[in-house]
Amino acid sequence: DDVFIMKGAEKDADCFDADDIHEMEEHRFDKAWTTPTLQRNEIYKHILECVLDENKPVVDIATGPSMGFIPAIKTKKPSLPCLAFDASGVLIQAWKRFFIERMKLPKVDLAQFSMFNIPFIDESIDIFTSYLGIGSTRNGEKGYDKALSELYRTLKPNGKIFAIEGEWIDKNSFLELFLRINQEPWQCFKEEGRTWKERFEAHGFEI
């Protein structure tokens, strides 16, 4: 059966509401599986092939409404075990409904927990994947450090993380946007940040 774990705080995730979930169910979930837009990107294609060559169970981090690398992995290797997790319980429940309604899709296990509090024992995971997942925390450098610490703890000594993460370049434009919509800016826009290479290396990862 699909895995469903309640662990970690919902505030660690994007705060999706009913309208967000409806839009995802109507447009984005099916597109993630039927329109391989990301696979046209050369970097994505290269990372995907590296993941497939490993041929080991995959855990997708903060899977979101696109489910990261999993649709592409399952399209090419339907039998490869995959777990998608996200801190948003309503998102994971929506994904579960999607799979129940479309029984012909390959099996994907689902779990709700925060990457700040990963419920796996030390050195137990072969492969993590992330498509903008690690960077989705709104807690800035403190959040990135907490997530990377947990990922390093749970990754096997010879395990790997395959990740595509974004760098915020024009932070002033984002700060102006938050001001216009009268919302508190995310922490990552209010502080000077490191590069992802620097963040990973600071936690012991070899790039």
Side-chain angles (χ1 to χ4, degrees):
D1 293 333
D2 285 347
V3 178
F4 190 75
I5 303 171
M6 299 298 292
K7 189 177 181 72
E10 286 275 335
K11 63 180 173 59
D12 294 345
D14 287 319
C15 298
F16 299 122
D17 60 21
D19 289 338
D20 296 324
I21 295 299
H22 177 73
E23 188 273 335
M24 293 173 195
E25 291 177 316
E26 288 293 312
H27 304 291
R28 300 180 68 179
F29 286 179
D30 191 64
K31 186 177 179 180
W33 285 85
T34 59
T35 309
T37 306
L38 290 174
Q39 293 182 54
R40 302 191 193 114
N41 181 289
E42 291 301 318
I43 295 174
Y44 184 97
K45 285 165 60 177
H46 173 69
I47 293 177
L48 174 62
E49 291 304 317
C50 291
V51 173
L52 294 171
D53 287 345
E54 291 289 327
N55 199 35
K56 295 176 181 177
V58 171
V59 177
D60 194 68
I61 301 162
T63 202
S66 71
M67 200 165 272
F69 284 89
I70 288 182
I73 293 170
K74 282 294 193 176
T75 297
K76 294 180 178 291
K77 283 193 177 182
S79 63
L80 191 67
C82 290
L83 169 69
F85 81 81
D86 200 279
S88 172
V90 293
L91 175 66
I92 291 298
Q93 289 171 330
W95 268 120
K96 187 165 187 175
R97 288 194 298 271
F98 177 84
F99 281 107
I100 290 173
E101 293 168 2
R102 294 162 174 80
M103 294 297 291
K104 292 183 180 180
L105 286 175
K107 175 178 169 54
V108 177
D109 291 322
L110 301 167
Q112 184 270 324
F113 56 84
S114 167
M115 60 181 144
F116 295 163
N117 191 12
I118 298 177
F120 302 144
I121 62 173
D122 294 358
E123 300 183 353
S124 61
I125 304 300
D126 291 294
I127 303 291
F128 280 113
T129 58
S130 172
Y131 181 74
L132 308 179
I134 304 171
S136 67
T137 170
R138 302 296 179 244
N139 294 342
E141 292 297 327
K142 182 178 179 181
Y144 301 146
D145 283 339
K146 195 170 182 180
L148 289 170
S149 177
E150 276 291 270
L151 294 169
Y152 191 85
R153 175 185 68 79
T154 53
L155 198 65
K156 289 182 178 179
N158 293 318
K160 296 177 181 178
I161 295 180
F162 296 93
I164 296 177
E165 301 296 337
E167 297 280 2
W168 301 110
I169 306 292
D170 189 359
K171 293 186 178 182
N172 288 333
S173 294
F174 283 99
L175 290 171
E176 183 179 341
L177 174 62
F178 278 100
L179 181 63
R180 287 182 180 180
I181 61 177
N182 196 30
Q183 289 190 14
E184 180 69 19
W186 300 341
Q187 186 63 30
C188 60
F189 296 126
K190 298 190 294 182
E191 60 189 18
E192 290 298 320
R194 298 163 291 174
T195 66
W196 280 106
K197 183 175 185 293
E198 290 169 337
R199 293 175 187 129
F200 275 101
E201 289 179 338
H203 287 271
F205 291 98
E206 295 180 9
I207 310 298

